[in-house]
Amino acid sequence: MRPFEYERPGDGPGAVATMARPGAMFLAGGTNLVDLMKLGVTSPELLVDITGLPYHGIETGEGVRIGALVSNTELARDETIRRRYPVVSEAILAGASGQLRNRATVAGNLLQRTRCRYFQDVTKACNKRSPGTGCDARDGEHHDLAILGASPQCVATNPSDLAVALSIVDASVHYLGPHGPAAISVHDLYRRPGDRPDLDTNLPPGSLITGVVLPECPIAAGSRYRKVRDRASFAFAAGSVAAALDVRDGIVHDVRLAWGAVAHLPWRAWAAERALRHGPATPEHYARAAEEELAFAKPLRDNAYKIPLLRNLTVELLRELTP
C-alpha cells in the first residue's frame, strides 16, 4: 500500500473544495476503491472520507429521494422501494454479497468502476486505466464484455445492477459541483467510451453525489429485474434486464426496458420500447422488439452469445409481467 493522506470534511462544500487538491479521491464504503488501491489500479494521494456527511436517509413523497450514503442493504429492504419500485430492490439483491451490501453506498454503487480483467491487471494494456496504451481485451478474454455502444478504444461494461434499474424509472442524480448544487438524469450520467474511456461519467471533476431522486412512476410498481451470471451468487452479470410493463386488453400500453452488462453504461432499450408500444402482448412480439434493439450490437469473437441471451431473457421477463 502506498502512503496517502486522510481528511474528514465537515460538510459537502468543504468536501468538494478538498477535492481540488492533486490526487484526491472520495471514500465512503470503500468496497470498490480499496480493492483498486490494493491492485495498484489507483493510487490516491488524499482520501476524503465523506461518511460523516448528512446524505443518509430515504425521504418519500410524490417520488423518493435517496441519500447518497444510504447503504445498499437499507435501500433494498425499504418498504416504499419494495412496493413502488421493486426493480430497484431486486437489482440490489442480485449484486454482491450481504456483507458488501451492508457497507456499499448508493453513490458508490453508481460510480463503481468496470470489472474488466484488463482494467484491473496493471500489466495489461487498458485505455480506461492508462489512456493511449491500447485495449488488450479486444483480442483477449472478452466473453463478458460489451456488445453495444463500445469503441475501438474500450469494450468494458458498467458493473452496476442498480444503475440499470434506475434507468427504467428515469431517476436523477443530484450532486455538489465546483459551482454549487446541480442534477443530471441517470441517462446522461454515464458516457460511452469513445476516445476517452477513462472518463466514466459526465459529472464535473471533483463533484460529490448527494442523492438520487426517483420520480413518481406508476408503471414501476410492477417492475422486475432478472440477471444471468456465471455462478449463482456474488458474481457480476453476463447479461441483465430491468423491465416494467403495462398491458391493457392484450395490447402493450407502456413499457420500460433496460439492459445491463452489455455496454459502457446501462443500456436503455429505446428502440425496443418503441417497437413494443401499441403492439400485441405476445412472446413473438417481445422477441421481435428485442431483436430490433439488438440490431445495434457489434459483438466480438467470443461474446456473440449475449445477443440470444438478452433476447431470451427479455422475452422471459416480459412474459412474467404480462397479465
Side-chain angles (χ1 to χ4, degrees), residues 224-243:
R224 298 290 304 277
Y225 186 76
R226 184 62 55 79
K227 177 177 177 177
V228 172
R229 45 196 160 183
D230 290 339
R231 59 181 186 270
S233 65
F234 196 17
F236 294 95
S240 66
V241 178

Side-chain angles (χ1 to χ4, degrees), residues 102-123:
N102 290 342
R103 184 67 181 168
T105 64
V106 168
N109 187 308
L110 297 182
L111 296 179
Q112 63 184 305
R113 307 213 68 191
T114 184
R115 265 47 180 205
C116 173
R117 68 194 65 198
Y118 297 95
F119 173 76
Q120 295 185 327
D121 185 345
V122 295
T123 69

